[in-house]
């Protein structure tokens, strides 16, 4: 027999959270350390002062959240999301939630204007404006300072939320906003502001992005026009809730759920072509290809000598120029580098020199990559991984899926250093 605590759609589940406004959380008996997040067909505003049923909202919200978390996870962010389970539910790692809503703003609007009289709507925050709010429905989620959060000394899943953890959440919030802002820009849609929550993974003891990110979580203005807003603010602004008004709100939510799928697709897909002077350079070039793969960039390896076969060098160049795919050429040539300068002098595409430096003549050979005749603009990067990263930075200007991987990598490097510093200080103490 199925009850509210043991749902028919998943018999081996036990209810953990009964009274969520828009979702329920079930413990998965067959998957220790995991939960099922089940959305509801309910929409609320003002801490549920206004509350209505919206048929189909659970599926819309679940589709939106699943796509957003997939984008972030593929980029390299640590999240609680595991997989979409059904039309209205997803599986997540079990977390103890940190009771703070992190709000990130690009444009001043809404409650910010009420709390900061004199600031005009539309003021653009550069850098982003960060705020945090303590989750306390009885007191309307009061705004907190970093000092209050540190003073609270929350301990969750064995992790004390101190300076290191607060800084990680703050930095992560900015990076996550920037990634979603970049993604929505491909749909000519402005991400105005956003709220997210973090939890401590009970298994790994790591801070991860948790809860949901759906159309309740942000403000979206197509073409930067507030009058076209597609988010929950439309529901908040209703003077009267009528069936016709709710249909309009639902259409907006459906619009977002359809567009959010497009955030997982590249509009412009580029590539890297590595030209090596000899097969003896293959190991060096494979490092470039592997690093390109980490950014999701296709990488082609070719062998040619600009000294011994300049006509073939130019034929290969023309082959990749002729199909309209954005291309970065990387020239890998030891001794005297003819590939980079010849390519640079004959193509408008970017050329990166990445010579394999040897201990004997490396100090002399490098000059053939550094001193160029006038009119040539190829750069020189010695590390194969750094050459791939530089290529990714160029392609990322027009491919948001490459850019988001670069942004997540920056964040993860910063977090690793922060955690290493914390560990060293604890050892010293």
């Amino acid at each position: 027999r199925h009850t509210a605590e043991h749902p028919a759609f998943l018999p081996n589940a036990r209810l953990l959270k009964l009274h969520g406004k828009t979702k329920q959380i079930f413990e998965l008996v067959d998957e220790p350390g995991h939960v099922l997040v089940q959305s509801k067909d309910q929409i609320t505003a003002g801490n549920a002062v206004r509350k209505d049923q919206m048929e189909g909202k659970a599926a819309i919200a679940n589709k939106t959240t699943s796509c957003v978390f997939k984008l972030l996870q593929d980029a390299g962010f640590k999240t609680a999301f595991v997989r979409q389970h059904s039309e209205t539910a997803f599986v997540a790692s079990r977390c103890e939630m940190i009771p703070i809503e992190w709000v990130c703003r690009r444009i001043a609007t809404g409650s910010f204007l009420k709390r900061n009289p004199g600031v005009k709507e539309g003021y653009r925050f550069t850098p982003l404006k960060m705020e945090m709010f303590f989750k306390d429905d009885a007191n309307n989620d009061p705004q907190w300072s970093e000092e209050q959060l540190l003073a609270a000394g929350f301990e969750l899943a064995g992790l004390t939320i101190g300076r290191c953890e607060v800084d990680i959440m703050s930095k992560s919030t900015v990076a996550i906003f920037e990634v979603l802002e970049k993604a929505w820009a491909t749909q000519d849609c402005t991400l105005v502001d956003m709220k997210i929550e973090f939890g401590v993974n009970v298994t790994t003891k790591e801070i991860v992005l948790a809860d949901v990110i759906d159309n309740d979580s942000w403000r979206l203005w197509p073409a930067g026009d507030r009058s076209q807003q597609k988010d929950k603010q439309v529901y908040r602004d209703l003077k009267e809730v009528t069936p016709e008004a709710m249909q309009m709100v639902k259409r907006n939510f459906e619009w977002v759920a359809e567009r959010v799928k497009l955030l997982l697709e590249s509009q412009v897909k580029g590539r890297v072509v590595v030209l090596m002077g000899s097969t003896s350079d293959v190991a060096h070039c494979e490092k470039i290809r592997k690093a390109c793969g980490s950014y999701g960039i296709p990488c082609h390896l070719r062998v040619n000598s600009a000294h011994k076969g300049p006509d073939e060098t130019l034929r290969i160049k023309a082959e990749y120029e002729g199909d309209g795919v954005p291309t970065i050429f990387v020239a890998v040539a030891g001794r005297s580098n003819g590939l980079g300068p010849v390519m640079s002098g004959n193509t408008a595409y970017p050329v990166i020199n990445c010579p394999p430096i040897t201990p004997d003549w490396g100090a002399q050979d490098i000059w053939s990559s550094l001193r160029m005749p006038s009119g040539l603009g190829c750069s020189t990067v010695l590390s194969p991984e750094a050459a791939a990263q530089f290529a990714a930075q160029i392609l990322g200007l027009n491919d948001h899926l490459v850019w988001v991987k670069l942004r997540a990598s920056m964040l993860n490097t910063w977090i690793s250093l922060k955690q290493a510093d914390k560990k060293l200080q604890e050892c010293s103490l």
Side-chain angles (χ1 to χ4, degrees):
R1 185 171 63 85
H2 300 299
T3 67
E5 295 194 3
H6 297 276
F9 62 84
L10 203 66
N12 294 320
R14 183 173 62 83
L15 188 62
L16 288 175
K17 181 179 177 183
L18 185 59
H19 297 295
K21 285 177 277 192
T22 59
K23 59 187 175 292
Q24 290 179 304
I25 313 295
F26 297 90
E27 181 180 29
L28 294 177
V29 177
D30 292 344
E31 290 187 54
H34 293 85
V35 296
L36 189 81
V37 182
Q38 172 69 42
S39 294
K40 296 179 179 178
D41 282 345
Q42 185 165 282
I43 185 168
T44 68
N47 274 331
V49 171
R50 170 177 282 183
K51 180 167 62 175
D52 290 282
Q53 290 296 111
M54 190 171 95
E55 186 181 352
K57 180 179 181 288
I60 295 167
N62 190 56
K63 182 194 290 187
T64 304
T65 283
S66 295
C67 284
V68 170
F69 273 102
K70 189 171 188 328
L71 173 69
L72 294 171
Q73 212 159 42
D74 288 350
F77 291 94
K78 290 181 178 176
T79 79
F81 182 83
V82 175
R83 66 181 184 276
Q84 186 170 343
H85 169 77
S86 68
E87 193 178 46
T88 59
F90 68 90
V91 175
S93 300
R94 185 171 179 177
C95 296
E96 289 194 16
M97 296 300 296
I98 300 162
I100 295 290
E101 273 188 356
W102 294 81
V103 175
C104 201
R105 303 181 187 276
R106 176 64 79 192
I107 295 171
T109 190
S111 66
F112 184 87
L113 301 179
K114 295 175 185 175
R115 288 181 282 108
N116 296 272
V119 179
K120 292 183 179 179
E121 182 168 55
Y123 179 87
R124 190 171 180 84
F125 297 111
T126 50
L128 291 161
K129 173 66 72 176
M130 280 283 305
E131 297 177 306
M132 64 182 81
F133 297 86
F134 178 54
K135 287 176 68 68
D136 179 4
D137 286 351
N139 292 297
N140 293 314
D141 298 345
Q143 185 173 3
W144 269 22
S145 64
E146 276 194 0
E147 290 75 16
Q148 284 174 292
L149 178 51
L150 290 168
F154 294 122
E155 186 163 325
L156 301 152
L159 180 69
T160 301
I161 306 303
R163 168 52 62 189
C164 176
E165 291 70 30
V166 170
D167 288 349
I168 286 172
M169 288 186 283
S170 179
K171 283 271 189 183
S172 298
T173 300
V174 169
I176 289 163
F177 184 97
E178 288 177 351
V179 160
L180 294 177
E181 177 182 47
K182 187 87 169 177
W184 274 114
T186 67
Q187 303 303 311
D188 190 25
C189 201
T190 299
L191 182 61
V192 174
D193 52 37
M194 182 184 71
K195 62 179 181 181
I196 58 176
E197 295 180 36
F198 295 90
V200 180
N201 185 312
V202 297
T203 304
T204 65
K205 312 302 181 189
E206 290 180 303
I207 289 180
V208 296
L209 176 67
D211 197 52
V212 299
I213 300 179
D214 58 23
N215 209 32
D216 294 5
S217 307
W218 52 32
R219 284 186 176 90
L220 287 174
W221 295 354
D225 182 355
R226 185 179 187 271
S227 69
Q228 296 184 48
Q229 61 190 357
K230 297 292 184 183
D231 51 83
K232 193 172 79 170
Q233 190 62 38
V234 175
Y235 173 72
R236 294 189 190 101
D237 291 345
L238 291 177
K239 290 182 172 61
E240 183 184 357
V241 178
T242 64
E244 294 75 22
M246 289 303 294
Q247 279 301 311
M248 177 190 66
V249 172
K250 184 178 179 180
R251 284 195 299 272
N252 285 341
F253 274 60
E254 288 171 336
W255 185 93
V256 171
E258 286 305 309
R259 296 303 185 287
V260 82
K261 290 189 295 186
L262 302 177
L263 306 187
L264 300 172
E265 302 170 7
S266 286
Q267 292 187 317
V268 180
K269 191 75 176 173
R271 68 186 166 208
V272 169
V273 176
V274 179
L275 294 167
M276 67 186 91
S278 162
T279 53
S280 63
D281 300 325
V282 165
H284 188 81
C285 297
E286 285 291 356
K287 292 177 183 176
I288 298 173
R289 177 151 68 178
K290 182 180 179 182
C292 284
S294 70
Y295 300 113
I297 301 171
C299 181
H300 303 192
L301 303 187
R302 303 295 295 266
V303 182
N304 177 251
S305 168
H307 289 123
K308 301 169 187 175
D311 55 336
E312 181 64 9
T313 302
L314 297 179
R315 190 200 67 76
I316 292 173
K317 171 196 76 74
E319 178 185 329
Y320 289 103
E321 287 178 325
D323 60 7
V325 177
T327 301
I328 314 292
F329 291 107
V330 179
V332 175
R335 298 188 182 179
S336 177
N337 175 17
L339 273 172
V342 168
M343 289 293 290
S344 182
N346 288 276
T347 184
Y349 286 10
V351 178
I352 302 169
N353 294 316
C354 187
I357 300 301
T358 57
D360 47 4
W361 286 92
Q364 289 74 34
D365 293 343
I366 189 65
W367 288 107
S368 64
S369 294
L370 292 176
R371 278 189 60 81
M372 297 285 116
S374 61
L376 303 189
C378 47
S379 59
T380 297
V381 181
L382 299 185
S383 159
E385 292 80 11
Q389 182 179 343
F390 184 33
Q393 288 169 333
I394 297 170
L395 293 172
L397 293 172
N398 293 304
D399 185 345
H400 74 284
L401 293 186
V402 173
W403 190 90
V404 300
K405 286 182 168 65
L406 288 162
R407 187 64 184 89
S409 178
M410 280 173 53
L411 174 70
N412 290 334
T413 298
W414 185 90
I415 289 174
S416 295
L417 290 168
K418 188 76 177 177
Q419 290 174 331
D421 181 57
K422 178 189 175 185
K423 193 171 183 180
L424 185 62
Q425 289 182 71
E426 289 172 346
C427 291
S428 300
L429 290 173

